[in-house]
Amino acid sequence: MKRKHNFKGLQIWQKGRVLVKDIYQLTSEFPKSELYGLVSQMRRASVSIPSNIAEGSGRKTSKEFSRFLEIAYSSALELETQLYLSFDLSFISESTLDEFLFKIEEVQKMISSFDNKILADNI
């Protein structure tokens, strides 16, 4: 089956992979007591972003792909919240929070823009 979009060539998928790596590195420094709490949640939310982009790229219609982009976007919002919580709990500094919020906002904007583009191209 030929896919409309090759997810490996999508910048949003590539940036999503980098974000996963960054989140794994960041959370490796969290308290061990958070391994099954915030660490697990943050890692799953970050992995969900490129995973849903990849899964959506294999769908037959742009509308179906758009649904997976919405899920990826929602996972980015979830991760954003978890970063704020990490800051509130003093697991990360304000500068680290700002650095990661910038990265997530960039991914969110890219997902939103790409979603609008694929839907507009299909009209």
Side-chain angles (χ1 to χ4, degrees), residues 61-119:
T61 68
S62 293
K63 187 174 179 179
E64 288 177 294
F65 192 2
S66 177
R67 178 66 187 124
F68 282 88
L69 291 173
E70 289 174 13
I71 295 168
Y73 187 87
S74 295
S75 293
L77 293 173
E78 180 182 354
L79 181 57
E80 182 177 350
T81 298
Q82 293 158 351
L83 283 162
Y84 278 109
L85 294 172
S86 298
F87 173 73
D88 294 343
L89 294 167
S90 301
F91 297 156
I92 61 173
S93 67
E94 189 170 2
S95 63
T96 299
L97 173 65
D98 291 342
E99 173 191 342
F100 276 84
L101 291 177
F102 178 81
K103 291 176 184 184
I104 291 172
E105 184 177 314
E106 184 178 32
V107 169
Q108 289 168 338
K109 287 178 182 177
M110 290 176 76
I111 292 170
S112 182
S113 176
F114 184 66
D115 187 27
N116 290 336
K117 181 184 180 327
I118 65 165
L119 289 174

Side-chain angles (χ1 to χ4, degrees), residues 39-51:
V39 170
S40 177
Q41 286 290 110
M42 291 175 74
R43 288 178 175 184
R44 283 186 300 192
S46 67
V47 167
S48 177
I49 297 168
S51 297

Side-chain angles (χ1 to χ4, degrees), residues 5-16 53-54 57 65 69 110 114:
H5 299 280
N6 176 2
F7 69 90
K8 295 175 203 166
L10 296 174
Q11 262 193 327
I12 53 173
W13 180 78
Q14 295 166 2
K15 282 203 179 281
I53 293 166
S57 73
F65 192 2
L69 291 173
M110 290 176 76
F114 184 66

